[in-house]
């Protein structure tokens, strides 16, 4: 705190120090009191002062200093608390020199082992080659693990090595403060700006990127990698310039990231041949050679996801496995995905997170979007179903809405109230939140395949559930399928999608669907096959259902008898009249023995 004290004469005894100080004040001007000042910290050649900074007031110029804070200086800085008299003691920072071109700011990620050229790289290049005077800002979007950062680094490295840019700036843009710091560092290196005020330096760098008639043109490329929130980019987009390009990578898909001269490039999975070539090259680099069919099947098992393929290949090499043995482990649904990937310290290509951890932050961010707390339980439902397409009516059915309400992230503590109902509109918004973070693809225009989700995202989501949670979720999902199934199937595409989703649920949680008895959805699937004219498939379905129910619940369980009844019915519809008659006769005897002659099920069999 600095105060000016103006002179005021007052009587005092001879020799009174305060009187003499006030006489000096009257002669030389107001005195200055610097008290209770904060700390001063300076680095990198800067000067920092708290208290009084001003001209030398001479021997009689009263500056009273007390209770000043600590002063810390490093890297050639000057820090002072209390009083710095300009003209008496001034230390100037060493002059800075702007970097010569070409120049790179920030560190590019090293190229991945056996990096594959991809069609998305051609799309980026095509925009540059045919851009003319258009603003070249491109936004790479896609789920975590598809290789956006590697594509951006390859694009930047190629441009710099090819002499296409004078200044390359690479910024890890996971937060607004990181973006500011990246621009500020560019200003320090390229403009010799003072690093003491990062915000001011960052603004100066963006202003310098603006084309100017009296300025030597600079061909620049700014890469903002892994933008986590579109709001972080507000005010930080590189300016329009015929000499500049900008490239952004992000998992987000909001409209705010496109438009205004910005072009979106969707980054998808490896094509099957790209995935196989990548795994083959990685294994060959370690003197490992596997059959082509096993490599192709491994790539398919991992959904052609680049990050998963890299980490699976590393685990195969580290653990001394074959592709076939790794696939057997992967097929074991009791094992968690994290157990089939390298430990964090053994990840390839300087990766910092496993494929499962890569999505954890995205799920958390999606769950914070409105309607808050619904994205995670919605993803849990989708994780039990067909990755290739889930009907909208399943995820907005009443059992699904009840699940969302019961598992919504709580916004209060200690509440004993019943969870608030979730309307179907909020369920759709939860799907949009997951879509915005590239965790699912939500396409409302295809209602029977509205939601698609990568199979490994599904598995990573299921891995977070306890066994009891997993089983309960399976039953809830089965209820949702049954509720969404129309009594009369007029839409064959919808019926086919519901059957595919039931098959996916059965593969994921078959045990739960038999607790305490076979779920109705298992019977509904077989009936749907028959009604669709697939009588042979219906017969095979009920044959498996009868055998499984008999094994799990016993041959005399009513559900076993019901499965046998359906089997006999569809055998007859399939043309095996004699076999159907013999099966019905045998079933009738067992039904009478178990349920009695007057039971409605007995009458149904006899009729």
């Amino acid at each position: 705190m600095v105060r000016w004290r103006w002179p005021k004469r007052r009587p005092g005894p001879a020799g009174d120090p305060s009187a003499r100080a006030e006489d000096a004040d009257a002669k030389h001007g107001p005195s200055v009191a610097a008290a209770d000042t904060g700390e001063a910290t300076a680095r990198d050649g800067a000067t920092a002062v708290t208290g009084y900074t001003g001209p030398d007031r001479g021997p009689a110029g009263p500056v009273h200093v007390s209770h000043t804070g600590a002063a810390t200086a490093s890297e050639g800085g000057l820090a002072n608390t209390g009083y710095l008299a300009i003209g008496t003691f001034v230390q100037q920072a060493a002059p800075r020199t702007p970097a010569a071109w070409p120049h790179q700011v920030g560190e590019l990620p090293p190229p991945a082992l056996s990096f594959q050229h991809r069609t998305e790289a051609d799309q980026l290049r095509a925009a540059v080659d045919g851009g003319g005077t258009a603003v070249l800002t491109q936004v790479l979007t896609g789920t975590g693990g598809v290789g956006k950062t590697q594509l951006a680094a390859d694009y930047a490295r190629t441009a710099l090595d090819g002499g296409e840019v004078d200044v390359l700036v690479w910024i890890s843009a996971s937060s607004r403060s990181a973006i500011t710091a990246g621009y500020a560092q560019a200003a320090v290196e390229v403009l010799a700006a003072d690093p003491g005020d990062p915000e001011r330096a960052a603004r100066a760098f963006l202003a310098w990127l603006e084309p100017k008639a009296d300025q030597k043109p600079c061909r620049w490329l700014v890469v903002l990698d892994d933008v986590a929130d579109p709001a972080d980019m507000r005010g930080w987009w590189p300016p329009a310039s015929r000499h500049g390009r900008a490239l952004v990578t992000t998992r987000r898909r909001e409209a705010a990231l496109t438009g205004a001269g910005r072009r979106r490039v969707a980054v998808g999975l490896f094509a099957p041949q790209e995935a196989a070539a990548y795994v083959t090259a990685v294994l060959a680099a370690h003197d490992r050679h596997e059959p082509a069919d096993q490599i192709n099947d491994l790539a398919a098992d991992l959904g052609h996801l680049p990050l998963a393929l890299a980490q699976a290949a590393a685990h195969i090499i580290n653990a001394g496995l074959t592709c076939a043995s790794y696939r057997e482990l992967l097929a074991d649904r009791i094992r968690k995905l994290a157990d089939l990937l390298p430990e964090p310290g053994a990840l390839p290509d300087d990766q910092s997170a496993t494929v499962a951890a890569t999505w954890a932050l995205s799920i958390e961010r999606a769950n914070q979007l409105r309607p808050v707390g619904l994205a995670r339980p919605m993803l849990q439902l989708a994780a039990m179903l067909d990755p290739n397409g889930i009907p909208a009516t399943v995820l907005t059915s009443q059992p699904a809405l009840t699940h969302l309400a019961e598992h919504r992230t709580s916004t209060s503590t200690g509440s004993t109230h019943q969870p608030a109902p979730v309307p179907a509109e909020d369920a759709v918004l939860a799907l949009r939140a997951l879509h915005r973070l590239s965790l699912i693809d939500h396409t409302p225009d295809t209602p029977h395949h509205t939601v698609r989700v990568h199979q490994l995202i599904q598995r990573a989501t299921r891995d977070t559930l306890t066994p009891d949670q997993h089983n309960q979720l399976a039953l809830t999902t089965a209820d949702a399928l049954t509720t969404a199934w129309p009594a009369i199937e007029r839409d064959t595409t919808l019926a086919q999608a519901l059957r595919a989703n039931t098959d996916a649920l059965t593969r994921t949680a078959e045990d739960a669907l038999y607790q305490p008895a076979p779920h109705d959805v298992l019977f509904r699937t077989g009936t749907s096959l028959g009604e669709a004219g697939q009588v042979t498939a219906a017969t095979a379905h009920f044959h498996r259902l009868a055998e499984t129910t008999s094994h799990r619940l016993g041959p005399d369980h009513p559900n076993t008898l019901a499965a046998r009844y359906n089997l006999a019915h569809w055998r007859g519809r399939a043309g095996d009249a004699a076999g159907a008659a013999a099966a019905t006769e045998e079933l009738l005897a067992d039904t009478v023995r178990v349920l009695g002659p007057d039971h409605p099920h007995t009458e149904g069999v006899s009729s």
Side-chain angles (χ1 to χ4, degrees):
M1 180 181 297
V2 179
R3 289 194 177 95
W4 293 84
R5 188 171 61 190
W6 293 91
K8 179 181 178 182
R9 294 302 304 268
R10 64 178 178 83
D16 185 347
S18 62
R20 291 197 301 272
E22 290 185 359
D23 289 340
D25 289 349
K27 181 178 180 181
H28 298 285
S31 65
V32 178
D36 299 319
T37 62
E39 298 181 355
T41 302
R43 58 189 176 90
D44 197 20
T47 299
V49 179
T50 62
Y52 170 78
T53 303
D56 181 8
R57 300 176 60 78
V63 177
H64 309 290
V65 179
S66 63
H67 300 96
T68 59
T72 303
S74 62
E75 302 177 17
L78 170 65
N80 182 54
T81 60
Y83 178 22
L84 177 63
I86 298 175
T88 302
F89 178 73
V90 176
Q91 177 174 326
Q92 297 290 339
R96 303 176 185 279
T97 303
W101 303 347
H103 183 71
Q104 175 183 321
V105 180
E107 185 176 354
L108 273 65
L113 178 66
S114 304
F115 176 79
Q116 295 288 303
H117 179 79
R118 303 175 64 179
T119 56
E120 289 87 352
D122 295 332
Q123 293 182 47
L124 294 175
R125 177 61 55 188
V128 175
D129 294 342
T133 59
V135 178
L136 293 176
T137 300
Q138 303 190 76
V139 181
L140 290 174
T141 64
T143 190
V146 294
K148 301 181 296 295
T149 295
Q150 279 292 322
L151 280 169
D154 177 70
Y155 176 82
R157 193 174 290 110
T158 301
L160 187 63
D161 293 346
E164 301 172 21
V165 296
D166 300 313
V167 172
L168 166 63
V169 180
W170 181 279
I171 299 175
S172 295
S174 57
S175 66
R176 188 170 180 85
S177 60
I179 296 171
T180 304
Y183 282 135
Q185 185 62 33
V188 170
E189 296 184 24
V190 178
L191 306 181
D194 184 350
D197 188 342
E199 178 89 12
R200 182 177 182 180
R203 296 293 177 193
F205 181 73
L206 282 183
W208 180 78
L209 294 179
E210 296 270 5
K212 300 174 181 63
D214 58 346
Q215 178 177 294
K216 176 184 176 182
C218 174
R219 300 168 302 162
W220 51 262
L221 170 60
V222 174
V223 183
L224 296 133
D225 182 46
D226 196 23
V227 171
D229 189 338
D232 292 342
M233 288 298 299
R234 191 175 299 120
W236 288 127
W237 287 99
S241 171
R242 65 181 182 276
H243 304 298
R245 316 179 210 166
L247 184 61
V248 172
T249 74
T250 181
R251 304 179 195 187
R252 304 294 288 260
R253 294 195 276 200
E254 277 89 344
L257 291 168
T258 56
R262 298 188 284 271
R263 172 178 177 263
R264 178 174 176 265
V265 178
V267 181
L269 305 169
F270 272 151
Q273 63 273 19
E274 292 173 338
Y278 173 77
V279 175
T280 300
V282 172
L283 294 177
H286 293 83
D287 296 323
R288 292 285 305 274
H289 303 281
E290 296 279 337
D293 60 336
Q294 286 295 331
I295 289 178
N296 290 331
D297 290 343
L298 173 64
D301 290 345
L302 294 171
H304 305 113
L305 182 72
L307 184 63
L309 292 168
Q311 296 185 0
H315 188 70
I316 288 171
I317 294 166
N318 295 340
L321 300 172
T322 65
C323 286
S325 60
Y326 182 86
R327 292 184 61 225
E328 290 178 1
L329 296 174
L330 190 64
D332 183 358
R333 298 188 180 277
I334 296 178
R335 294 179 181 272
K336 292 186 180 296
L337 184 61
D339 297 333
L340 303 175
L341 301 172
E343 297 178 351
L347 293 172
D349 302 326
D350 288 342
Q351 295 166 9
S352 59
T354 64
V355 66
T358 296
W359 297 308
L361 181 59
S362 293
I363 295 172
E364 183 61 32
R365 287 186 177 274
N367 211 43
Q368 294 170 359
L369 298 177
R370 291 181 294 180
V372 176
L374 295 187
R376 189 188 302 277
M378 177 60 82
L379 185 60
Q380 292 171 349
L381 286 171
M384 308 299 288
L385 294 165
D386 183 13
N388 298 311
I390 306 170
T393 51
V394 175
L395 298 175
T396 56
S397 65
Q398 189 54 53
L401 298 179
T402 300
H403 169 79
L404 296 180
E406 292 177 347
H407 295 85
R408 183 174 197 159
T409 302
S410 177
T411 56
S412 60
T413 58
S415 175
T416 58
H417 292 58
Q418 290 293 325
V422 173
E425 293 80 2
D426 280 0
V428 174
L429 290 176
L431 292 173
R432 293 308 298 174
L434 293 168
H435 176 85
R436 288 163 63 184
L437 269 296
S438 298
L439 290 163
I440 68 170
D441 288 320
H442 180 237
T443 53
D445 293 339
T446 56
H448 302 335
H449 299 88
T450 300
V451 172
R452 289 179 170 83
V453 54
H454 195 277
Q455 62 211 52
L456 292 186
I457 294 180
Q458 290 181 308
R459 183 160 185 168
T461 301
R462 296 194 300 266
D463 282 351
T464 65
L465 304 172
T466 67
D468 288 344
Q469 290 172 334
H470 184 274
N471 291 343
Q472 183 56 53
L473 181 62
L475 294 175
T476 298
T477 308
D479 290 343
L481 285 166
T482 305
T483 302
W485 218 308
I488 301 175
E489 295 182 0
R490 294 186 174 90
D491 190 330
T492 57
T493 304
L494 173 60
Q496 183 177 5
L498 291 170
R499 293 195 299 270
N501 277 271
T502 303
D503 289 344
L505 175 61
T506 304
R507 290 192 299 270
T508 299
E510 184 175 20
D511 289 345
L513 298 182
Y514 285 89
Q515 297 175 9
H519 196 281
D520 287 346
V521 75
L522 300 173
F523 288 90
R524 190 70 187 87
T525 299
T527 301
S528 176
L529 284 168
E531 292 176 351
Q534 302 180 48
V535 291
T536 301
T539 302
H541 175 86
F542 281 111
H543 184 269
R544 290 192 302 270
L545 183 59
E547 285 189 336
T548 304
T549 306
S550 177
H551 173 73
R552 290 174 177 271
L553 304 177
D556 293 339
H557 193 279
N559 288 113
T560 302
L561 301 177
R564 289 172 59 191
Y565 172 79
N566 281 278
L567 172 59
H569 171 77
W570 291 109
R571 283 181 68 178
R573 293 285 296 272
D576 184 8
T584 301
E585 183 178 353
E586 182 180 351
L587 173 63
L588 179 58
D590 289 338
T591 305
V592 171
R593 175 177 56 82
V594 174
L595 301 177
D598 298 328
H599 194 279
H601 289 178
T602 304
E603 296 177 0
V605 174
S606 62
S607 61

